[in-house]
Amino acid sequence: MQLKKICVLGGSGFVGSAVVAKLDAAGYKVTVLTRRRESAKHLFLLPNVSVVECNVLDYHALNAVLRGADAVINLIGILHQSSRLSFNTVHHQLPAQLAKICADLGIKRLIQMSSLRADEHAPSQYLRSKAAGEAALNALHDKINITIFKPSIIFGRGDKFTNLFATLIKLLPVVLLAKPNAKFQPIWVEDVASCFLNSLENTKTYGQTYELAGPKVYTFRELLQQIMRVLAVKRSIIGLNNTLSYGQALMMEFLPVKLMSRDNIKSMEVDSVSQYPLPAVLAVEPSALEAVLPEYLVDRTARGAYDRFRSAAAR
């Protein structure tokens, strides 16, 4: 295969690191754009990867660094707004600017990470901004071969979901859980990365939007219970009603590190599940959450005990 130059925005993050590793292993020449080069030092040893500092919100800086690329992958997203970055800036304006630059530079391939249940009428700013970004890209479908992926929550080593709740479960005797009946269909980060890789040069995926979801649907409560099983600990879960869920999120917005926001609660008002299996064209069979969690949530000793427990339960 002739090496092709792929530029990845958000390539140093949780999902980006998995995508970049697969691109590197496949022989692509990858340029990772990051605000701080030091944050991508875990990618320095990959032979086909270079890391470039760039403010991707700066039109001229982004235009300059994208020159010569054959394809662009945008994985940048935020879960919480701040005084510095808004959902609209990151999820709408950036993809719109990126698409314009690709069209101007003659870059014909662009893959975008959106979110499952993104919609212009969605209850949260997060989901509405993701939908606006999709619309901005699709407006240039006649000039760029675009593929959009819309995943449910993504789990794996280094994620900010299962690992966060595993930590909270270890620390707290009781878990006060907002929106305990909200539904998710988690998908493994390695499966997501494979979808990006397999679609890159597959012309059948051009102009398509795909929902990415794992093989099983869980309520929020069931997800925490699954994490507890892996950790071999028991904690009481007290589900909060809508009013208390919003009240808890409001208090958390004042913490130095945001764990939850009212907009997150609004996102959970729509179930993050898909009606469709992963399409055959992506050539990915999604892995089960139960099979992957023990690989990174517990140490070897605890993992052995968990495996024995599962074997006994199966009998």
Side-chain angles (χ1 to χ4, degrees):
M1 181 187 69
Q2 181 180 359
L3 288 181
K4 291 193 174 184
K5 298 178 181 179
I6 316 298
C7 194
V8 182
L9 285 70
S12 61
F14 164 57
V15 177
S17 296
V19 172
V20 168
K22 287 191 182 292
L23 291 171
D24 172 78
Y28 290 98
K29 185 175 181 180
V30 185
T31 299
V32 174
L33 304 188
T34 180
R35 190 160 54 92
R36 293 188 303 273
R37 192 170 186 274
E38 188 65 16
S39 67
K41 59 184 179 181
H42 58 288
L43 301 176
F44 290 174
L45 296 179
L46 296 179
N48 300 312
V49 176
S50 60
V51 179
V52 176
E53 285 192 356
C54 178
N55 177 7
V56 297
L57 300 178
D58 183 319
Y59 178 88
H60 298 290
L62 185 58
N63 187 295
V65 78
L66 289 182
R67 292 180 181 273
D70 296 308
V72 177
I73 297 174
N74 181 31
L75 302 169
I76 294 179
I78 57 174
L79 286 175
H80 307 290
Q81 298 188 98
S82 68
S83 57
R84 187 177 62 86
L85 287 177
S86 69
F87 289 138
N88 183 59
T89 297
V90 177
H91 299 155
H92 177 203
Q93 294 179 9
L94 174 59
Q97 175 175 278
L98 181 60
K100 182 179 185 306
I101 291 174
C102 287
D104 290 344
L105 295 180
I107 300 172
K108 297 296 185 181
R109 187 69 173 117
L110 173 60
I111 304 179
Q112 169 76 15
M113 172 79 86
S114 185
S115 179
L116 193 58
R117 304 309 300 272
D119 186 87
E120 63 177 326
H121 302 298
S124 69
Q125 294 182 58
Y126 172 85
L127 291 174
R128 292 195 299 271
S129 66
K130 286 283 192 177
E134 293 180 26
L137 294 179
N138 288 327
L140 290 175
H141 69 91
D142 57 329
K143 297 182 179 180
I144 312 169
N145 297 315
I146 297 170
T147 302
I148 297 173
F149 288 114
K150 304 178 66 160
S152 183
I153 57 172
I154 302 173
F155 69 92
R157 188 180 304 276
D159 73 42
K160 294 182 180 179
F161 185 83
T162 60
N163 287 283
L164 169 63
F165 283 101
T167 300
L168 293 176
I169 287 167
K170 292 176 183 177
L171 294 175
L172 301 176
V174 177
V175 179
L176 301 178
L177 187 62
K179 290 286 187 179
N181 296 318
K183 293 181 181 179
F184 304 94
Q185 200 168 348
I187 184 166
W188 188 28
V189 66
E190 295 297 329
D191 291 335
V192 172
S194 293
C195 289
F196 275 81
L197 175 66
N198 295 347
S199 69
L200 186 59
E201 295 190 73
N202 188 335
T203 57
K204 293 181 180 178
T205 68
Y206 292 2
Q208 301 298 313
T209 296
Y210 298 109
E211 296 182 350
L212 301 183
K216 186 175 178 181
V217 175
Y218 304 81
T219 65
F220 203 173
R221 183 190 295 273
E222 288 169 343
L223 278 175
L224 264 64
Q225 290 170 335
Q226 183 60 44
I227 293 171
M228 289 180 191
R229 291 189 188 99
V230 173
L231 298 177
V233 300
K234 292 184 178 180
R235 297 288 187 268
S236 295
I237 299 175
I238 298 178
L240 303 180
N241 62 25
N242 284 345
T243 300
L244 292 177
S245 294
Y246 278 99
Q248 182 190 62
L250 175 60
M251 290 188 290
M252 288 184 172
E253 289 178 11
F254 292 96
L255 296 176
V257 177
K258 280 190 178 181
L259 302 179
M260 187 78 72
S261 71
R262 285 169 292 175
D263 197 73
N264 296 151
I265 299 297
K266 290 180 180 179
S267 288
M268 287 191 281
E269 290 178 1
V270 291
D271 293 332
S272 183
V273 301
S274 176
Q275 297 179 352
Y276 313 102
L278 292 187
V281 69
L282 297 177
V284 174
E285 185 68 31
S287 300
L289 178 82
E290 292 87 350
V292 178
L293 279 185
E295 297 292 330
Y296 65 90
L297 281 189
V298 296
D299 59 28
R300 290 185 179 180
T301 302
R303 179 180 159 194
Y306 176 74
D307 288 341
R308 289 192 294 275
F309 167 78
R310 289 190 66 190
S311 296
R315 293 195 295 270

